Amino acid sequence: MPRRKTLIRRVRVRALRTLRRSEIGLILCCAIAGCAVAMLVLVLHDCVAFMQRLAFDLYPGVTLGAQLRIAQWRVVLVPLLGGGALAMILRLLPALGGRVADPIEASALYGGRMSLRGSTRLTALTFVSNGAGASVGMEAGYSQIGAAIFSAVGGRLGMVRDNRRTMVTAGAAAAITAAFNAPLAGIFYGFELVHGGLSARRLAPVVTASICAWLVLMVAGHHGPVFVIPPHPEPAPLDFLLLILLALLGAALAVLAMTSVGLTERLLRRSRIPQWLLPVVGGVMIGLLGLYSPQILGAGLGPIQWHFEFRLSLTVLLALLLAKMLASAVSIGAGFRGGLFSSALLLGALLGACFAQLAGVLLPAHDGPRALFLLAGMAATGAGIVGAPLTISFLVIETTGSFAAAPVLIAVAALSAMLVRLTFGYSFSTWRFHLRGLTLRGAHDIGWISGLTAARLMHRDIPTFPIQMPLASLRQALPLGSTEWIGVSHHDGTYAGMLETARAHDPDLNDLSEMLILGDLTDPPGPEIGPADDVRHVLQTFAASRLTVLPVVSQDRRALGYVSESHCLRRYLAGIYHYRGIDLGF
């Protein structure tokens, strides 16, 4: 019996080691977890749909935003009650509203480590927000919980940093695939947004997770595209010029939508309204906007099909576009949880419809492809807001089945994303990081840079002597060659400067050694760094000061050691080569 237990233990240890270290084991984990995440997303989607159908009295099979006739008291009351519920949750349990690292932040800074409990809490708040009709999407909650589940699996198996980042990427890809029935969009979402770039080494695990999630959808009966697009003629040469103009407008709309979110949030935070009560105020404003049209309620996917089938006047379309943008800004600014993924698609569809109407007025002799303008508007605005042109392009293509228009949509999305990057500099996710004070431009792994601090780079063998110590006494206590630098301290032990040992043993000072003290040779304190400063700050300080050695000083002004520029550069370049080599597969 003991021999059998030993054998089972050995088999278990070897199996876990295979899952941790081998690429086959990583793919197997992604396949199993991808199926689990897809089933969870389907359950959450059905629960949100049931909650909205019950709250707004929707017809069977009709999503929120697609039904134009909703009782006005429901339009006003449901967002108010949802905001009140969110406010009470944040008031009674303030820890539930604490900041949780999203997949992009976890991949960039924390090596793929995410809090499963915090992500579950955030997904629950997103569920309440979306169910109450706030103009936010559930896709943020889906990707959050999907990536957190994958991260938890990686942590349970003791995966290394690189594999755990891959797990987070695959989890987000599986969640987006299940949310939109779009495997290609899910794959590119993982690489463009969560991982920060395509990597051949991580392609198989991420694709496996996305395809397994897609297979679960097929088994569950989710076939075909989300929207049915009417046939449209091939674009004429003039249409390509119009599509370029539409890409410019989509980029401008994306910048306007993102800045409106930040502006609304600042205005609400500066008001005298208690912060925990802001969701109630937001619920009132959303309800009032919903009185104009219920299409602004919810994530925004519901009305898209309606706009492909029906035409409205230019004035009505512009009013809907403004109302939806304000509703999204108020929802996020007031504290409702969710993202702008789906709202960006509706804003783009409305922009495309407005553009088609305007083109018909200015060019009455030209019958432009209206459906293509709507698709291009979705791609341009979505790519500008999300900052992932391939993700949005394939999302529009897969959800509408418009594979023939793929080259046009990819070109429009790429142009819009480039314009937003060159003019505004941020996507919505990185813009939110900027507002919080994080200097993140993407999900590239820079967490190792934050971990490479002056405390890890410094030389600790730095003896410290009082500033009043005679030079002769120092020479006796510290022979030449014993150390390169020494620290000099005031009478209370605080840092006073650094002195090179070779300078203290200068033969030209032999006759003056009995008369000089260390303070006579020590230069006034110059630039210094703290033990928590990362390697980027250290290198910037070196470049600004043109010194080759910097002291590391604690908060209580004690000399802890020193950092040399050559050693700092070697460690920094070694880290870059290491992690770049992982991306390239060697």
Side-chain angles (χ1 to χ4, degrees), residues 34-306:
C35 295
V37 167
M39 289 186 286
L40 177 61
V41 169
L42 286 177
V43 171
L44 289 175
H45 179 270
D46 291 341
C47 290
V48 170
F50 175 77
M51 183 176 176
Q52 292 177 343
R53 185 165 61 250
L54 190 66
F56 292 96
D57 192 25
L58 302 178
Y59 301 136
V62 178
T63 58
L64 183 61
Q67 181 172 314
L68 300 183
R69 294 186 178 181
I70 301 177
Q72 292 185 348
W73 66 271
R74 291 181 182 270
V75 173
V76 175
L77 185 61
V78 173
L80 174 61
L81 293 179
L86 197 62
M88 292 303 298
I89 292 173
L90 298 179
R91 179 64 173 175
L92 298 177
L93 300 172
L96 294 181
R99 190 174 65 84
V100 180
D102 67 4
I104 300 175
E105 188 177 353
S107 179
L109 298 179
Y110 306 123
R113 295 189 302 274
M114 296 183 66
S115 170
L116 182 58
R117 179 179 300 177
S119 298
T120 304
R121 183 175 70 231
L122 182 60
T123 303
L125 295 178
T126 307
F127 177 86
V128 173
S129 302
N130 194 259
S135 188
V136 290
M138 272 298 297
E139 62 279 347
Y142 295 152
S143 62
Q144 181 77 31
I145 192 63
I149 291 174
F150 272 67
S151 176
V153 172
R156 189 71 176 175
L157 295 175
M159 290 185 178
V160 296
R161 179 189 185 93
D162 177 56
N163 286 349
R164 199 161 180 181
R165 289 185 71 236
T166 303
M167 290 291 287
V168 169
T169 303
I176 294 300
T177 296
F180 295 99
N181 193 18
L184 291 176
I187 293 169
F188 281 102
Y189 177 90
F191 282 117
E192 283 190 298
L193 286 177
V194 180
H195 184 69
L198 185 62
S199 171
R201 185 175 180 178
R202 299 178 179 90
L203 184 61
V206 176
V207 170
T208 300
S210 182
I211 294 301
C212 288
W214 184 49
L215 292 176
V216 170
L217 292 183
M218 294 182 64
V219 172
H222 295 266
H223 301 283
V226 179
F227 308 111
V228 179
I229 305 303
H232 54 83
E234 292 292 330
L238 178 60
D239 294 327
F240 287 101
L241 296 177
L242 295 176
L243 289 170
I244 293 175
L245 179 58
L246 182 56
L248 300 177
L249 295 175
L253 179 60
V255 173
L256 182 60
M258 289 186 285
T259 52
S260 67
V261 172
L263 178 61
T264 304
E265 189 172 20
R266 286 196 300 272
L267 291 176
L268 290 176
R269 294 293 187 270
R270 291 175 182 175
S271 65
R272 297 183 179 180
I273 305 172
Q275 186 170 349
W276 66 272
L277 201 58
L278 289 180
V280 177
V281 179
V284 173
M285 298 175 69
I286 293 169
L288 295 177
L289 289 171
L291 290 177
Y292 172 73
S293 174
Q295 289 191 3
I296 64 100
L297 299 175
L301 292 180
I304 292 179
Q305 180 66 54
W306 194 91

